[in-house]
mmCIF file with all atom_site columns, all heavy atoms in Angstrom:
data_model
loop_
_atom_site.group_PDB
_atom_site.id
_atom_site.type_symbol
_atom_site.label_atom_id
_atom_site.label_alt_id
_atom_site.label_comp_id
_atom_site.label_asym_id
_atom_site.label_entity_id
_atom_site.label_seq_id
_atom_site.pdbx_PDB_ins_code
_atom_site.Cartn_x
_atom_site.Cartn_y
_atom_site.Cartn_z
_atom_site.occupancy
_atom_site.B_iso_or_equiv
_atom_site.pdbx_formal_charge
_atom_site.auth_seq_id
_atom_site.auth_comp_id
_atom_site.auth_asym_id
_atom_site.auth_atom_id
_atom_site.pdbx_PDB_model_num
ATOM 1  N N   . GLY E 1 58 ? -39.950 -12.762 14.494 1.00 0.00 ? 68 GLY E N   1
ATOM 2  C CA  . GLY E 1 58 ? -40.842 -13.635 15.245 1.00 0.00 ? 68 GLY E CA  1
ATOM 3  C C   . GLY E 1 58 ? -40.228 -14.016 16.572 1.00 0.00 ? 68 GLY E C   1
ATOM 4  O O   . GLY E 1 58 ? -39.020 -14.188 16.675 1.00 0.00 ? 68 GLY E O   1
ATOM 5  N N   . PHE E 1 59 ? -41.079 -14.107 17.601 1.00 0.00 ? 69 PHE E N   1
ATOM 6  C CA  . PHE E 1 59 ? -40.612 -14.526 18.922 1.00 0.00 ? 69 PHE E CA  1
ATOM 7  C C   . PHE E 1 59 ? -41.809 -15.076 19.672 1.00 0.00 ? 69 PHE E C   1
ATOM 8  O O   . PHE E 1 59 ? -42.714 -14.340 20.073 1.00 0.00 ? 69 PHE E O   1
ATOM 9  C CB  . PHE E 1 59 ? -39.997 -13.349 19.683 1.00 0.00 ? 69 PHE E CB  1
ATOM 10 C CG  . PHE E 1 59 ? -39.186 -13.764 20.876 1.00 0.00 ? 69 PHE E CG  1
ATOM 11 C CD1 . PHE E 1 59 ? -37.829 -14.008 20.773 1.00 0.00 ? 69 PHE E CD1 1
ATOM 12 C CD2 . PHE E 1 59 ? -39.789 -13.911 22.120 1.00 0.00 ? 69 PHE E CD2 1
ATOM 13 C CE1 . PHE E 1 59 ? -37.078 -14.387 21.865 1.00 0.00 ? 69 PHE E CE1 1
ATOM 14 C CE2 . PHE E 1 59 ? -39.058 -14.295 23.227 1.00 0.00 ? 69 PHE E CE2 1
ATOM 15 C CZ  . PHE E 1 59 ? -37.688 -14.536 23.098 1.00 0.00 ? 69 PHE E CZ  1
ATOM 16 N N   . ASN E 1 60 ? -41.821 -16.396 19.861 1.00 0.00 ? 70 ASN E N   1
ATOM 17 C CA  . ASN E 1 60 ? -42.976 -17.046 20.471 1.00 0.00 ? 70 ASN E CA  1
ATOM 18 C C   . ASN E 1 60 ? -42.510 -17.990 21.577 1.00 0.00 ? 70 ASN E C   1
ATOM 19 O O   . ASN E 1 60 ? -41.923 -19.043 21.308 1.00 0.00 ? 70 ASN E O   1
ATOM 20 C CB  . ASN E 1 60 ? -43.765 -17.824 19.426 1.00 0.00 ? 70 ASN E CB  1
ATOM 21 C CG  . ASN E 1 60 ? -45.029 -18.453 19.989 1.00 0.00 ? 70 ASN E CG  1
ATOM 22 O OD1 . ASN E 1 60 ? -45.335 -18.308 21.171 1.00 0.00 ? 70 ASN E OD1 1
ATOM 23 N ND2 . ASN E 1 60 ? -45.768 -19.155 19.141 1.00 0.00 ? 70 ASN E ND2 1
ATOM 24 N N   . ALA E 1 61 ? -42.753 -17.560 22.829 1.00 0.00 ? 71 ALA E N   1
ATOM 25 C CA  . ALA E 1 61 ? -42.389 -18.381 23.989 1.00 0.00 ? 71 ALA E CA  1
ATOM 26 C C   . ALA E 1 61 ? -43.628 -18.901 24.711 1.00 0.00 ? 71 ALA E C   1
ATOM 27 O O   . ALA E 1 61 ? -43.561 -19.268 25.887 1.00 0.00 ? 71 ALA E O   1
ATOM 28 C CB  . ALA E 1 61 ? -41.527 -17.565 24.947 1.00 0.00 ? 71 ALA E CB  1
ATOM 29 N N   . THR E 1 62 ? -44.760 -18.932 24.006 1.00 0.00 ? 72 THR E N   1
ATOM 30 C CA  . THR E 1 62 ? -46.018 -19.327 24.656 1.00 0.00 ? 72 THR E CA  1
ATOM 31 C C   . THR E 1 62 ? -46.154 -20.837 24.787 1.00 0.00 ? 72 THR E C   1
ATOM 32 O O   . THR E 1 62 ? -46.933 -21.311 25.617 1.00 0.00 ? 72 THR E O   1
ATOM 33 C CB  . THR E 1 62 ? -47.217 -18.777 23.854 1.00 0.00 ? 72 THR E CB  1
ATOM 34 O OG1 . THR E 1 62 ? -47.167 -19.290 22.518 1.00 0.00 ? 72 THR E OG1 1
ATOM 35 C CG2 . THR E 1 62 ? -47.195 -17.258 23.825 1.00 0.00 ? 72 THR E CG2 1
ATOM 36 N N   . VAL E 1 63 ? -45.427 -21.610 23.970 1.00 0.00 ? 73 VAL E N   1
ATOM 37 C CA  . VAL E 1 63 ? -45.490 -23.074 24.084 1.00 0.00 ? 73 VAL E CA  1
ATOM 38 C C   . VAL E 1 63 ? -44.518 -23.512 25.172 1.00 0.00 ? 73 VAL E C   1
ATOM 39 O O   . VAL E 1 63 ? -43.321 -23.235 25.085 1.00 0.00 ? 73 VAL E O   1
ATOM 40 C CB  . VAL E 1 63 ? -45.115 -23.750 22.749 1.00 0.00 ? 73 VAL E CB  1
ATOM 41 C CG1 . VAL E 1 63 ? -45.176 -25.268 22.887 1.00 0.00 ? 73 VAL E CG1 1
ATOM 42 C CG2 . VAL E 1 63 ? -46.052 -23.286 21.644 1.00 0.00 ? 73 VAL E CG2 1
ATOM 43 N N   . PRO E 1 64 ? -44.983 -24.172 26.229 1.00 0.00 ? 74 PRO E N   1
ATOM 44 C CA  . PRO E 1 64 ? -44.101 -24.548 27.334 1.00 0.00 ? 74 PRO E CA  1
ATOM 45 C C   . PRO E 1 64 ? -42.893 -25.363 26.868 1.00 0.00 ? 74 PRO E C   1
ATOM 46 O O   . PRO E 1 64 ? -43.028 -26.322 26.089 1.00 0.00 ? 74 PRO E O   1
ATOM 47 C CB  . PRO E 1 64 ? -45.010 -25.392 28.245 1.00 0.00 ? 74 PRO E CB  1
ATOM 48 C CG  . PRO E 1 64 ? -46.396 -24.925 27.939 1.00 0.00 ? 74 PRO E CG  1
ATOM 49 C CD  . PRO E 1 64 ? -46.380 -24.581 26.477 1.00 0.00 ? 74 PRO E CD  1
ATOM 50 N N   . ASN E 1 65 ? -41.700 -24.954 27.333 1.00 0.00 ? 75 ASN E N   1
ATOM 51 C CA  . ASN E 1 65 ? -40.434 -25.659 27.089 1.00 0.00 ? 75 ASN E CA  1
ATOM 52 C C   . ASN E 1 65 ? -39.958 -25.598 25.639 1.00 0.00 ? 75 ASN E C   1
ATOM 53 O O   . ASN E 1 65 ? -39.055 -26.351 25.262 1.00 0.00 ? 75 ASN E O   1
ATOM 54 C CB  . ASN E 1 65 ? -40.520 -27.122 27.529 1.00 0.00 ? 75 ASN E CB  1
ATOM 55 C CG  . ASN E 1 65 ? -40.950 -27.262 28.976 1.00 0.00 ? 75 ASN E CG  1
ATOM 56 O OD1 . ASN E 1 65 ? -40.692 -26.381 29.807 1.00 0.00 ? 75 ASN E OD1 1
ATOM 57 N ND2 . ASN E 1 65 ? -41.638 -28.354 29.278 1.00 0.00 ? 75 ASN E ND2 1
#
Side-chain angles (χ1 to χ4, degrees):
F69 195 91
N70 184 0
T72 59
V73 180
N75 305 331

